[in-house]
């Protein structure tokens, strides 16, 4: 949540034209924060969540294993592209799988 709030803050900061270099600095920080999410935020959420879910009956066990896999995948992608200022489009697009995971988890929770 904190990483997302930081990113949104700098999206808003980019809208202001004063100081002149503020927009460029804001964009560079946004790119850095995106790396932070892939390396720390997503793995820090999905790996522990997956461990808890794989040992409980709240959701199917495979949902826990997928969460662990997603966390590891995000960490690997973040580390592999650490030295590129901007993450490739397909890497940021992969972040959409978490929305699908949350949707499936919500549906299972409602049907249970």
């Amino acid at each position: 949540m904190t990483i997302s709030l930081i990113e949104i803050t700098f999206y808003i900061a980019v809208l202001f034209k004063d100081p002149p270099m503020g927009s460029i600095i804001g964009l560079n920080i946004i790119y850095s924060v995106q790396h932070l999410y892939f390396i720390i935020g997503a793995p820090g959420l999905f790996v522990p969540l997956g461990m808890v879910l794989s040992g409980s009956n709240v959701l199917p066990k495979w949902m826990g294993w997928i969460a662990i896999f997603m966390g590891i995948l995000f960490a690997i992608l973040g580390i592999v592209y650490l030295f590129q200022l901007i993450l490739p489009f397909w890497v940021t697009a992969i972040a959409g799988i978490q929305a699908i995971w949350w949707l499936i988890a919500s549906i299972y929770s409602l049907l249970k």
Side-chain angles (χ1 to χ4, degrees), residues 9-25:
T9 300
F10 283 100
Y11 277 121
I12 294 169
V14 168
L15 297 174
F16 294 97
K17 301 295 181 203
D18 198 31
M21 293 296 291
S23 295
I24 295 171
I25 293 168

Side-chain angles (χ1 to χ4, degrees), residues 53-64:
L53 290 175
S54 64
S56 73
N57 293 325
V58 175
L59 290 173
K61 303 252 186 259
W62 59 269
M63 289 290 292

Side-chain angles (χ1 to χ4, degrees), residues 3 29 32 38 44 61 84 88 92 96 102-103 105 108:
I3 294 170
I29 293 175
S32 299
F38 272 83
K61 303 252 186 259
Q84 289 187 9
T92 55
W102 288 112
L103 177 65
Y108 267 103

